[in-house]
Amino acid sequence: MALVARAGSITRSPRGAARWWAKVAPYVFISPFYLLFLAFGLLPILFSLGVSLFNWQGVAQAQFTGLSNYGVLLTDPDFLTALGNTVIVWLGSTVPMVFLALAFAAVLNAQRLRLRGFFRTVYFLPVVTSLVVTGLIFSVLFDPSIGLVNDALHAVGIAPINFLSDPNWMKPTLIMALLWRWTGNDMVIMLAGLQSIPGDIYEAATVDGATGRQAFWRITVPLMRPIILFDFIISTIGAFNLFEEPYVLFGGSAGNIGGTQNAGLVTGTLIYQNSFVFFNFGYGAAIAWVVAFIIFVLSMLQLKLGNKPVD
Amino acid sequence: MIGVNTAHRSLAARSWPARLLLYLGLCVFAAAFLAPFYWMIISALRPQSEFYQIPIPVIPSHLTLQDFVLLFQRSEFGRGLLNSAFLAFVSVVLQVFFSSLAGYTFAKLTFRGKDVLFTAMLATMMIPYMVTIIPNYIIMAHLGWIDTYWPLIIPGIANAFGIFWMRQYCQSIPSELLDAARIDGAGEFMIYWRVVVPLIQPALASLAIFVFLSTWNDFLNPLVFLRNQDLFTVQLWLAVVSHEGNVGQPAIVMAGSVLASIPVLLIFIFMQKRFVAGLTAGSIK
């Protein structure tokens, strides 16, 4: 009874109403995120798990088939090809990218470097370019008949290479495009990390007679390990979600999304093809879940390796 | 910053051949990063006949806007530019407003369950995009939203990165200012609108740039959710132009690429400081 009376007085008096609003307002202010996430994040995830258990071919009635989509997946040559290609592109781009990004960041962090701002801007510039434009520029540069790269090779006496349709060259071309587009992104993250290393550590090392190179390997790299690890993990996630660059480079809407002998097929384009070209939603969702699981395992593995204590 | 200065004293102390080599290396990489841009611009501006010369001249004999004219004649590229500008504008306004309101709330207001809610929000950033796009397509189809801009606008409002980034920035707002407004009788929303928003203008601008770039450059979402060419964005038109035989000359494709890149490059070059600060702030704090 007392409670009801109190509640009544709160809503009646203007001060009480203000106090009530002050309590509720935070939840109102953050609610759009959670409501939209429920509708377009959580619901789809649960739905997607469910869908992956069905044979659902767009227009036709969905049939419950249990784990059979996952069973088919393990022996599907397209899936295995896409997975193999993705692993090659992932390792081929991530390792040099992280290495280059750290080197660029270390050099471009030096205060006395002339034109430091200019170099930072130029190295970062590709990151703002759209992935479609990146794919288009590289397909023009590496075109077998009108491409600049083949002209340059011709000038030094090398026969033209079909970078975009020779199965041996498709993945290296994709890796080059990825290095151009994404290295600046990793570099900026590394720069932020470098700036958080306290300078007196280097001062002490200099007093102790350490050279610049020793300081880099003994101080910078160990202290930067969490950031380097972070870069490795985001690059891994990026590689397994690759879509636009291979789609544009290897002729996505021309029907064969993976290019010659599927040498340019990656997991991202395979999911797209199954879901939105063949409208086989169930199978597409199953691939997406397996890929998500692989990303999770690889990230955990890297975290475990990266967090191993140094001597 | 003082630390950074002393940390790299060794650079200045290096011998001049070492320094020369360092700058030479930096220039080689700068050229590698710039060359594709140069080739895009030059390919769009050179006369088409030059494409069939071997070797193709690195510097064109003269420049022409012919390919831009052909691009507009043979496709609805202009409409694509307008559609993308509209989508980017709407997304920027909505995402900046809702992200800053929620970010401020997490930074400055106290309420039960705050930590759990915040952690849950951060965890949503880990979900791989490919997992949600198929069910989202089915949901949008049920809502009758295929071939509308709703799927490109509404889910994006729940921007976990934006909320996180605004929260980091809002933590530096002095609580005394907010308490003073409260004593003056200002309501909770008015405090956000009149006191907080003017204080966080730089952060709002950074987030706006970020949202603009990601909306303008988005390809997968428009590709999945749009069928009607009247609604196509600039990135979709680029893909159409590059695949259609009659418009598909590389020169015209490059003209389109130049037009699609001009807004993002201009924004980046003029607002660089804000942009790079925005990208790095989240990762260190």
Side-chain angles (χ1 to χ4, degrees):
Chain A
M1 207 49 204
L3 202 73
V4 174
R6 234 183 104 213
S9 72
I10 282 173
T11 40
R12 234 173 296 147
S13 77
R15 250 197 93 202
R19 212 178 294 157
W20 177 81
W21 171 234
K23 274 219 164 100
V24 174
Y27 298 105
V28 175
F29 292 168
I30 61 171
S31 61
F33 174 84
Y34 296 93
L35 295 176
L36 288 170
F37 178 74
L38 278 181
F40 303 112
L42 194 63
L43 181 66
I45 287 167
L46 299 176
F47 196 25
S48 162
L49 261 180
V51 165
S52 75
L53 304 176
F54 283 81
N55 177 17
W56 188 358
Q57 314 253 9
V59 281
Q61 189 71 39
Q63 270 179 316
F64 182 78
T65 50
L67 293 173
S68 88
N69 276 331
Y70 293 93
V72 172
L73 193 67
L74 295 175
T75 52
D76 177 359
D78 281 0
F79 174 69
L80 298 175
T81 307
L83 196 59
N85 289 341
T86 308
V87 168
I88 293 172
V89 172
W90 164 54
L91 291 174
S93 60
T94 305
V95 175
M97 191 182 297
V98 170
F99 179 79
L100 277 175
L102 182 61
F104 290 157
V107 172
L108 295 180
N109 193 36
Q111 289 268 288
R112 305 193 186 193
L113 189 81
R114 260 170 235 172
L115 294 173
R116 189 173 70 149
F118 168 78
F119 286 122
R120 280 186 184 184
T121 305
V122 167
Y123 289 14
F124 189 76
L125 212 49
V127 180
V128 301
T129 316
S130 93
L131 300 173
V132 176
V133 169
T134 304
L136 292 174
I137 296 178
F138 273 76
S139 49
V140 168
L141 275 173
F142 286 88
D143 189 280
S145 53
I146 58 153
L148 178 70
V149 176
N150 265 325
D151 273 355
L153 292 179
H154 180 79
V156 292
I158 298 172
I161 295 167
N162 282 322
F163 288 101
L164 303 171
S165 55
D166 180 338
N168 295 321
W169 281 100
M170 287 161 67
K171 283 182 278 290
T173 309
L174 176 60
I175 289 170
M176 278 187 268
L178 293 176
L179 285 176
W180 181 76
R181 172 62 171 67
W182 292 104
T183 305
N185 194 52
D186 283 12
M187 177 192 80
V188 167
I189 295 170
M190 300 266 194
L191 270 171
L194 285 177
Q195 280 162 11
S196 64
I197 298 178
D200 32 355
I201 299 183
Y202 291 101
E203 226 165 302
T206 317
V207 172
D208 289 346
T211 64
R213 188 168 302 170
Q214 282 172 328
F216 179 78
W217 288 110
R218 301 265 172 88
I219 299 172
T220 312
V221 172
L223 284 175
M224 284 285 285
R225 213 166 49 168
I227 311 277
I228 297 171
L229 192 61
F230 176 75
D231 266 0
F232 263 112
I233 289 172
I234 59 165
S235 301
T236 305
I237 296 171
F240 280 88
N241 280 310
L242 260 188
F243 176 73
E244 283 89 345
E245 299 95 326
Y247 179 90
V248 172
L249 276 177
F250 307 127
S253 61
N256 181 15
I257 207 160
T260 319
Q261 295 169 22
N262 274 336
L265 188 69
V266 291
T267 53
T269 44
L270 184 71
I271 294 168
Y272 175 81
Q273 185 187 40
N274 274 292
S275 314
F276 301 109
V277 180
F278 304 152
F279 285 99
N280 194 342
F281 290 127
Y283 193 51
I287 307 173
W289 274 105
V290 170
V291 170
F293 178 73
I294 293 171
I295 293 175
F296 177 76
V297 170
L298 287 175
S299 303
M300 286 299 130
L301 210 68
Q302 291 177 66
L303 273 175
K304 209 163 172 153
L305 289 173
N307 282 337
K308 213 168 50 182
V310 269
D311 43 280
Chain B
M1 276 329 254
I2 298 159
V4 176
N5 196 359
T6 51
H8 291 269
R9 192 181 285 159
S10 59
L11 188 81
R14 275 185 198 155
S15 62
W16 72 264
R19 259 183 296 162
L20 186 72
L21 212 65
L22 181 74
Y23 281 103
L24 208 67
L26 284 171
C27 287
V28 167
F29 278 110
F33 281 115
L34 286 176
F37 286 114
Y38 171 78
W39 204 246
M40 167 178 80
I41 296 165
I42 286 305
S43 300
L45 291 171
R46 74 161 82 241
Q48 286 207 358
S49 58
E50 283 190 4
F51 275 96
Y52 304 99
Q53 288 179 24
I54 297 174
I56 188 163
V58 173
I59 296 162
S61 57
H62 66 276
L63 303 176
T64 160
L65 289 175
Q66 186 198 15
D67 294 313
F68 290 88
V69 175
L70 287 174
L71 174 73
F72 285 111
Q73 278 174 357
R74 296 182 190 175
S75 75
E76 299 282 333
F77 204 83
R79 181 151 191 174
L81 286 168
L82 288 178
N83 287 342
S84 285
F86 168 77
L87 261 178
F89 175 76
V90 173
S91 297
V92 165
V93 170
L94 291 173
Q95 290 190 35
V96 168
F97 171 72
F98 284 107
S99 299
S100 61
L101 184 60
Y104 153 71
T105 305
F106 276 121
K108 284 302 188 194
L109 300 182
T110 43
F111 53 98
R112 279 180 73 181
K114 180 158 104 168
D115 291 343
V116 175
L117 285 167
F118 187 69
T119 313
M121 187 204 68
L122 286 186
T124 66
M125 287 202 275
M126 318 289 172
I127 298 160
Y129 187 71
M130 282 290 180
V131 165
T132 55
I133 191 151
I134 298 164
N136 253 329
Y137 178 86
I138 297 166
I139 291 170
M140 297 301 175
H142 275 289
L143 291 171
W145 282 4
I146 303 299
D147 252 340
T148 69
Y149 284 154
W150 298 119
L152 308 180
I153 294 171
I154 303 298
I157 294 173
N159 182 346
F161 167 81
I163 295 173
F164 175 58
W165 155 231
M166 292 311 307
R167 170 189 173 263
Q168 301 303 92
Y169 197 90
C170 286
Q171 280 174 333
S172 62
I173 299 172
S175 295
E176 295 77 27
L177 274 177
L178 308 174
D179 292 339
R182 232 161 253 140
I183 289 164
D184 289 347
E188 286 303 320
F189 184 78
M190 271 304 135
I191 294 174
Y192 158 77
W193 191 247
R194 293 270 164 79
V195 182
V196 176
V197 167
L199 287 173
I200 57 170
Q201 301 267 329
L204 296 176
S206 297
L207 186 62
I209 294 168
F210 189 81
V211 175
F212 175 83
L213 288 177
S214 58
T215 314
W216 182 269
N217 285 343
D218 188 16
F219 177 65
L220 183 57
N221 283 304
L223 180 70
V224 167
F225 294 115
L226 301 178
R227 298 275 178 276
N228 178 1
Q229 289 204 338
D230 289 344
L231 297 175
F232 273 17
T233 63
V234 64
Q235 307 296 334
L236 283 182
W237 271 113
L238 276 178
V240 171
V241 167
S242 71
H243 284 301
E244 274 182 12
N246 61 332
V247 276
Q249 287 102 333
I252 297 174
V253 176
M254 286 297 102
S257 299
V258 168
L259 291 175
S261 304
I262 285 174
V264 294
L265 292 180
L266 283 183
I267 285 182
F268 173 63
I269 289 165
F270 286 108
M271 308 192 76
Q272 214 198 118
K273 225 175 161 180
R274 218 152 245 189
F275 185 64
V276 175
L279 273 178
T280 56
S283 61
I284 37 174
K285 277 188 192 166

